[in-house]
Coordinates of all heavy atoms in Angstrom, one line a residue:
A36 N -3.6 -37.9 4.7 CA -2.7 -37.0 4.0 C -2.9 -35.5 4.5 O -1.9 -34.9 4.8 CB -2.9 -37.1 2.5
P37 N -4.1 -35.0 4.6 CA -4.2 -33.6 5.1 C -3.8 -33.5 6.6 O -3.3 -32.4 6.9 CB -5.7 -33.3 5.0 CG -6.3 -34.4 4.2 CD -5.4 -35.5 4.1
A38 N -4.0 -34.5 7.4 CA -3.6 -34.4 8.8 C -2.0 -34.4 8.8 O -1.5 -33.6 9.6 CB -4.1 -35.6 9.5
I39 N -1.4 -35.2 8.0 CA 0.1 -35.2 7.9 C 0.6 -33.8 7.4 O 1.5 -33.2 8.0 CB 0.6 -36.3 7.0 CG1 0.3 -37.7 7.6 CG2 2.1 -36.1 6.8 CD1 1.0 -38.1 8.8
A40 N 0.0 -33.3 6.4 CA 0.4 -32.0 5.8 C 0.2 -30.9 6.8 O 1.0 -30.0 6.9 CB -0.3 -31.8 4.5
G41 N -0.9 -30.9 7.5 CA -1.2 -29.8 8.5 C -0.2 -29.8 9.6 O 0.3 -28.8 10.0
T42 N 0.0 -31.0 10.2 CA 0.9 -31.1 11.4 C 2.3 -30.9 10.9 O 3.1 -30.3 11.6 CB 0.7 -32.4 12.1 OG1 -0.7 -32.6 12.4 CG2 1.6 -32.5 13.3
G43 N 2.7 -31.5 9.8 CA 4.1 -31.4 9.3 C 4.5 -30.1 8.6 O 5.6 -29.9 8.3
G44 N 3.5 -29.3 8.2 CA 3.8 -28.1 7.6 C 4.3 -28.2 6.2 O 5.2 -27.5 5.7
C45 N 3.7 -29.2 5.4 CA 4.1 -29.4 4.0 C 2.9 -29.4 3.1 O 1.8 -29.4 3.6 CB 4.9 -30.7 3.9 SG 3.9 -32.2 4.3
A46 N 3.1 -29.4 1.8 CA 2.0 -29.4 0.9 C 1.4 -30.8 0.8 O 2.1 -31.8 1.0 CB 2.5 -29.0 -0.5
M47 N 0.1 -30.9 0.6 CA -0.5 -32.2 0.5 C 0.0 -33.0 -0.7 O 0.0 -34.2 -0.7 CB -2.0 -32.0 0.4 CG -2.7 -32.3 1.7 SD -4.5 -32.4 1.6 CE -4.8 -33.4 0.2
D49 N 2.9 -33.4 -1.5 CA 4.2 -34.0 -1.1 C 4.0 -35.2 -0.3 O 4.9 -35.9 0.1 CB 5.1 -33.0 -0.4 CG 5.6 -31.9 -1.3 OD1 5.6 -32.1 -2.5 OD2 5.9 -30.8 -0.8
V50 N 2.7 -35.5 0.2 CA 2.4 -36.6 1.1 C 1.9 -37.8 0.3 O 0.9 -37.6 -0.5 CB 1.4 -36.1 2.2 CG1 1.1 -37.3 3.1 CG2 2.0 -35.0 2.9
C69 N 6.7 -38.6 3.2 CA 6.6 -37.1 3.2 C 8.0 -36.5 3.3 O 8.9 -37.1 3.6 CB 5.6 -36.6 4.3 SG 6.1 -37.1 6.0
P70 N 8.1 -35.1 3.1 CA 9.4 -34.5 3.2 C 10.0 -34.6 4.6 O 9.3 -34.7 5.6 CB 9.0 -33.0 2.9 CG 7.8 -33.1 2.1 CD 7.0 -34.2 2.6
L71 N 11.3 -34.6 4.6 CA 12.0 -34.8 5.9 C 11.7 -33.7 6.9 O 11.7 -33.9 8.1 CB 13.6 -34.9 5.7 CG 14.1 -36.2 5.3 CD1 15.6 -36.2 5.2 CD2 13.8 -37.3 6.4
T72 N 11.5 -32.5 6.4 CA 11.1 -31.4 7.4 C 9.8 -31.7 8.1 O 9.7 -31.5 9.3 CB 11.0 -30.1 6.6 OG1 10.1 -30.2 5.6 CG2 12.3 -29.6 6.1
A73 N 8.9 -32.3 7.4 CA 7.6 -32.7 8.0 C 7.8 -33.9 8.9 O 7.2 -34.0 10.0 CB 6.6 -33.1 6.9
V74 N 8.7 -34.9 8.5 CA 9.0 -36.0 9.4 C 9.5 -35.5 10.7 O 9.1 -36.1 11.8 CB 10.0 -37.0 8.7 CG1 10.5 -38.0 9.7 CG2 9.3 -37.6 7.5
R75 N 10.4 -34.5 10.7 CA 11.0 -34.0 12.0 C 9.9 -33.4 12.9 O 9.8 -33.6 14.1 CB 12.1 -33.0 11.7 CG 13.3 -33.6 11.2 CD 14.4 -32.6 11.0 NE 15.5 -33.2 10.3 CZ 15.9 -32.9 9.0 NH1 15.1 -32.0 8.3 NH2 16.9 -33.5 8.5
K76 N 9.0 -32.6 12.3 CA 7.9 -32.0 13.0 C 6.9 -33.1 13.6 O 6.5 -33.0 14.7 CB 7.1 -31.0 12.2 CG 7.9 -29.8 11.8 CD 7.1 -28.9 11.0 CE 8.0 -27.6 10.6 NZ 7.2 -26.8 9.7
L77 N 6.6 -34.1 12.8 CA 5.8 -35.2 13.2 C 6.4 -36.0 14.3 O 5.7 -36.4 15.2 CB 5.4 -36.1 12.0 CG 4.5 -35.4 11.0 CD1 4.5 -36.1 9.7 CD2 3.1 -35.2 11.5
A80 N 5.9 -34.1 17.4 CA 4.5 -34.1 17.9 C 4.1 -35.4 18.4 O 3.2 -35.5 19.3 CB 3.6 -33.6 16.7
I83 N -1.0 -37.2 15.6 CA -1.7 -36.4 14.7 C -3.2 -36.6 15.0 O -3.6 -37.7 15.4 CB -1.4 -36.6 13.3 CG1 -1.7 -38.1 12.8 CG2 0.0 -36.3 13.0 CD1 -1.7 -38.3 11.3

Side-chain angles (χ1 to χ4, degrees):
I39 295 290
T42 306
C45 64
M47 261 192 41
D49 294 335
V50 178
C69 59
L71 275 182
T72 54
V74 169
R75 288 186 189 106
K76 290 179 184 177
L77 292 162
I83 59 168

